Amino acid sequence: MNPGSLMKRSLTHVAIIALVFVNLVPLLIILSSSLRSPKNMTNPLNWFNEFTLESFKSAFTRMHFPTALWNSAVLTVVSVVFVVLLAAMAAYPMARIRGRLSRFLYIFFLSGLVVPGQMVLIPIIQMIKGVGIPMNQYTPILMFITCSLPFSTFLYTGFIRSSVPEEIEEAAHIDGAGLFRRFWQIVFPLILPVTVSVVITQGVWIWNDYFFNMVFITKALDAPLPVAMLGFLGDQQNPAQWNVLFAACFLCALPLLLAFLALQKYFVGGLTVGSVKG
């Protein structure tokens, strides 16, 4: 190996190590602080000077963690299930039918990526009230589904066009399989990688969303995890207990971390393949 290549590789390794360090330091500070007692407000850079679960116990109790976890799980699971079903069914004809209508619908869905839901929130609230939809803990599901469909449909359409051979469907059609059966029994199982990508990308966003939940949910016991963490921010009379807040952050992130560890190989493969063509 010549000196130039060795120097280039060494600089690359140094840059990677520096990048990892920069990303790990905030996480180590948060972890160290969360393992302190709520009253221990020493220098946060003095890592792991105390090991106690008092902050975790306080966060677990004050945020009603089981109830908030259930609320987040319901909002996320229901929203993601509808997003997967609706986006997959919408993408299938757009990927298979060649024509102006198909191209128009594809561009129509993509245009939803340009307009964020926050910009049209007031008209949406007026429309929801106008049609008589109740404002409760499940109302944000409508916003989650609407905002997730454009990106999810884009992924499904690209994946079906590039990775699902039409010959398989033609053979099934010759054998007498109808359109509904071809989609659910042949196409849908083949798009599992991009389905997992949609579940992770949209599930993470829905799980962490604060804005829509804060707008539509008014009862404390109906609040999901991001909204339940508001009680730790404090005010002028009651300063924030940062150790407890950091412990609450870890409790909120733990379910997503476990899900990602279980699905990461599908996530990487599905996201890259589904976005190559379109």
Side-chain angles (χ1 to χ4, degrees):
M1 182 178 296
N2 58 66
S5 300
L6 182 60
M7 177 64 69
K8 184 177 180 180
R9 175 172 295 185
S10 300
L11 291 176
T12 302
H13 290 170
V14 171
I16 293 174
I17 294 173
L19 183 62
V20 171
F21 180 78
V22 169
N23 284 275
L24 282 181
V25 167
L27 296 178
L28 290 175
I29 293 175
I30 294 174
L31 179 60
S32 173
S33 299
S34 66
L35 292 174
R36 299 177 181 179
S37 62
K39 296 181 180 180
N40 185 352
M41 300 303 296
T42 57
N43 189 345
L45 295 179
N46 186 9
W47 294 349
F48 303 106
N49 64 346
E50 182 182 3
F51 290 90
T52 178
L53 297 179
E54 291 183 22
S55 294
F56 281 94
K57 293 178 181 178
S58 177
F60 188 91
T61 303
R62 288 173 54 185
M63 70 189 303
H64 305 285
F65 183 76
T67 302
L69 177 63
W70 171 254
N71 294 335
S72 289
V74 170
L75 289 174
T76 304
V77 171
V78 174
S79 300
V80 168
V81 168
F82 274 99
V83 168
V84 168
L85 296 178
L86 294 177
M89 289 189 293
Y92 180 57
M94 288 191 293
R96 288 293 183 251
I97 300 176
R98 306 291 192 270
R100 294 182 178 179
L101 179 60
S102 177
R103 289 194 296 270
F104 169 78
L105 291 176
Y106 184 69
I107 297 174
F108 176 78
F109 274 96
L110 288 183
S111 64
L113 296 173
V114 181
V115 182
Q118 293 83 351
M119 290 183 58
V120 292
L121 182 63
I122 294 178
I124 289 176
I125 293 177
Q126 294 175 343
M127 182 183 67
I128 290 176
K129 292 182 177 180
V131 298
I133 298 176
M135 302 281 285
N136 53 36
Q137 66 185 106
Y138 303 114
T139 308
I141 292 176
L142 299 176
M143 296 302 303
F144 294 146
I145 295 174
T146 303
C147 295
S148 298
L149 278 178
F151 179 73
S152 303
T153 305
F154 166 72
L155 283 184
Y156 274 118
T157 304
F159 191 90
I160 293 174
R161 285 176 178 174
S162 62
S163 302
V164 180
E166 295 187 42
E167 291 77 11
I168 300 178
E169 301 172 52
E170 294 173 357
H173 180 63
I174 294 174
D175 291 338
L179 179 63
F180 185 85
R181 184 179 176 184
R182 293 200 303 271
F183 175 74
W184 290 111
Q185 294 188 2
I186 297 175
V187 176
F188 195 75
L190 293 176
I191 59 177
L192 176 61
V194 73
T195 297
V196 176
S197 297
V198 170
V199 169
I200 293 180
T201 55
Q202 303 311 302
V204 169
W205 168 66
I206 294 171
W207 183 277
N208 292 326
D209 181 77
Y210 166 81
F211 182 78
F212 291 129
N213 290 324
M214 189 64 185
V215 170
F216 292 103
I217 297 177
T218 56
K219 296 182 180 179
L221 291 179
D222 294 338
L225 289 172
V227 179
M229 293 175 60
L230 282 177
F232 302 113
L233 295 180
D235 50 36
Q236 293 182 350
Q237 288 74 27
N238 300 295
Q241 291 183 309
W242 294 105
N243 298 342
V244 181
L245 178 59
F246 291 153
C249 291
F250 269 99
L251 289 175
C252 295
L254 183 60
L256 287 183
L257 179 62
L258 296 176
F260 179 78
L261 291 176
L263 302 174
Q264 59 178 335
K265 62 178 181 179
Y266 298 104
F267 170 66
V268 176
L271 187 59
T272 54
V273 174
S275 58
V276 170
K277 289 186 178 182

